[in-house]
Amino acid sequence: ADTCKHYPTSFEGVLLENAHLRSQPCLESEETDSKLLDTINVDSKVHVVSLIENTKGEYWYQIEGEKAGYIAAKQIRADAFFYDDVVLENASAPSALRQGKSFKIKGEILSGYNQLYTVRSQIFTLDNEEKVQVLATSDMVEDTRYSLNNSAISRELAFRDLTPGSYRYELAAVVGSYYYDFGQLQIRWETVALWNSDFRVTEKN
């Protein structure tokens, strides 16, 4: 399995035909170590947690749950994608700061099965009960984790330019989930809202 290429994904799939559940994604012949674990009937639902390409260019899905193993990707149709594995841990930000000061954001974005591609931050003014965007930035990730501590997100937002008033900070991530369809590798994009925090900017003196 070490020779396989792994693509992150997380979705509920439906069997298009009766399928063999095997112990290895890269080996299918009876002469190999890929053992036949079970047969899953057509129309059964399975939880897919990884898409794998072997050295022959064949695609396999790894499934978890009541039954775990590998099924040829051409035998499964992606049905409902999941993004609840993308979370923000240990988030913190000040509730107030003086004009001209920096805004320290802390926390770590983690993805268990999907791929983080972009982290997006926006700041809206809340004065007069009207929400208007005043600052925004994004940072490319292409990983399964992203630290907000001293990240490009906090530096490029230029909090020092904010005038006194009430604001809301919003954080989101663009997430990619791979799947196999019509003989091709595909990807489904989703924007996941992660966090928001209200704060005030006060006068310098």
Side-chain angles (χ1 to χ4, degrees):
D2 293 339
T3 59
C4 293
K5 186 172 182 179
H6 294 253
Y7 298 92
T9 192
S10 180
F11 66 85
E12 181 181 84
V14 178
L15 268 292
L16 298 172
E17 57 189 81
N18 293 341
H20 288 159
L21 181 69
R22 307 197 72 93
S23 63
Q24 295 288 338
C26 299
L27 309 168
E28 188 175 15
S29 169
E30 292 181 1
E31 290 78 23
T32 70
D33 293 330
S34 182
K35 299 177 182 178
L36 177 61
L37 301 177
D38 203 348
T39 298
I40 303 180
N41 296 330
V42 62
D43 293 329
S44 296
K45 293 183 178 181
V46 292
H47 185 195
V48 174
V49 296
S50 184
L51 174 60
I52 300 161
E53 181 183 4
N54 66 15
T55 55
K56 299 178 182 178
E58 300 167 335
Y59 289 93
W60 292 75
Y61 283 129
Q62 179 184 0
I63 68 168
E64 290 184 350
E66 184 179 342
K67 295 181 179 180
Y70 300 88
I71 297 176
K74 63 184 179 181
Q75 296 178 300
I76 296 178
R77 171 176 56 84
D79 192 30
F81 287 84
F82 302 120
Y83 299 97
D84 56 356
D85 67 303
V86 183
V87 297
L88 175 64
E89 293 187 347
N90 303 317
S92 68
S95 59
L97 69 155
R98 292 191 181 278
Q99 186 180 8
K101 298 295 183 179
S102 60
F103 187 83
K104 300 297 184 183
I105 307 167
K106 294 183 179 180
E108 188 169 35
I109 303 171
L110 304 173
S111 178
Y113 296 107
N114 289 289
Q115 177 85 44
L116 298 173
Y117 281 97
T118 308
V119 175
R120 293 178 177 175
S121 284
Q122 296 171 288
I123 296 178
F124 301 88
T125 179
L126 299 179
D127 289 335
N128 302 319
E129 298 183 356
E130 183 180 1
K131 181 179 174 181
V132 179
Q133 179 180 297
V134 292
L135 292 174
T137 190
S138 63
D139 195 18
M140 296 298 296
V141 183
E142 296 188 0
D143 200 349
T144 57
R145 62 176 56 228
Y146 180 86
S147 176
L148 294 172
N149 302 347
N150 301 315
S151 69
I153 288 293
S154 59
R155 293 196 303 271
E156 294 178 10
L157 277 174
F159 292 90
R160 294 178 180 84
D161 297 334
L162 294 176
T163 58
S166 298
Y167 297 90
R168 173 167 296 160
Y169 170 81
E170 294 188 1
L171 177 70
V174 178
V175 179
S177 195
Y178 286 92
Y179 65 103
Y180 181 85
D181 193 31
F182 296 106
Q184 298 292 326
L185 183 67
Q186 309 283 351
I187 189 167
R188 187 178 188 271
W189 302 101
E190 184 77 12
T191 299
V192 180
L194 295 171
W195 187 49
N196 67 76
S197 179
D198 292 351
F199 66 98
R200 287 193 60 79
V201 175
T202 61
E203 298 283 353
K204 290 183 179 179
N205 298 323

